[in-house]
Amino acid sequence: MPDCIFCRIAGGEMPTDLLFEDDQLVAFKDINPQAPVHFLVVPKKHIPDLPALTAADASLLPAVQRVIVKLTRQLGIDGDGFRVVVNTGAHGGQTVSHLHFHVLGGRALGWPPG
Ligand code: AMP
Ligand code: ZN
């Protein structure tokens, strides 16, 4: 596995603003927030991107959904709404090659994205 910043965060080797952790996932605040609330939900397993998910990861997406619901409620953005983004590949703007779900809220977000 390449030296991976999100593996280091998931392994507790790098400090972060942690919001959630269980055996499968971590969630932490994005270091460069694009909205008043901007956190990342990240599998502990090194999965490079969305297409790389396999049947062995079947429990992951429901777990991500549960964490998103829990944290958006906890952070008070469930009422007004929020956006979940998975940037994928060069055109998708993915800069960290370890699957992660952006969750953004706390303001009205424009569409389409740039
Ligand atoms: P993407 O461009 O979709 O791959 O998203 C990568 C995200 O990771 C960006 O929003 C970065 O701000 C964020 N990021 C990079 N390093 C860290 C870090 N050490 N802690 C928290 N967020 C980070
Ligand atoms: Zn990784």
Side-chain angles (χ1 to χ4, degrees):
M1 183 188 311
D3 185 35
C4 172
I5 192 169
F6 286 177
C7 281
R8 276 191 272 148
I9 289 175
E13 296 155 36
M14 204 173 147
T16 186
D17 214 333
L18 197 67
L19 297 171
F20 177 87
E21 178 171 19
D22 67 8
D23 56 332
Q24 215 174 5
L25 297 171
V26 288
F28 51 89
K29 290 187 182 171
D30 196 292
I31 204 168
N32 182 24
Q34 302 301 312
V37 174
H38 184 179
F39 63 88
L40 304 173
V41 181
V42 179
K44 287 186 168 178
K45 178 180 171 186
H46 183 83
I47 301 167
D49 57 17
L50 196 70
L53 281 170
T54 70
D57 306 309
S59 66
L60 192 69
L61 291 181
V64 168
Q65 187 264 352
R66 285 194 294 274
V67 172
I68 290 172
V69 170
K70 175 187 171 67
L71 290 178
T72 52
R73 283 185 185 149
Q74 198 172 298
L75 297 167
I77 58 168
D78 55 318
D80 287 333
F82 54 88
R83 185 171 296 166
V84 179
V85 175
V86 183
N87 294 326
T88 306
H91 279 193
Q94 183 176 5
T95 60
V96 177
S97 296
H98 179 134
L99 177 63
H100 52 282
F101 298 77
H102 293 261
V103 182
L104 301 119
R107 67 172 172 84
L109 299 163
W111 190 265

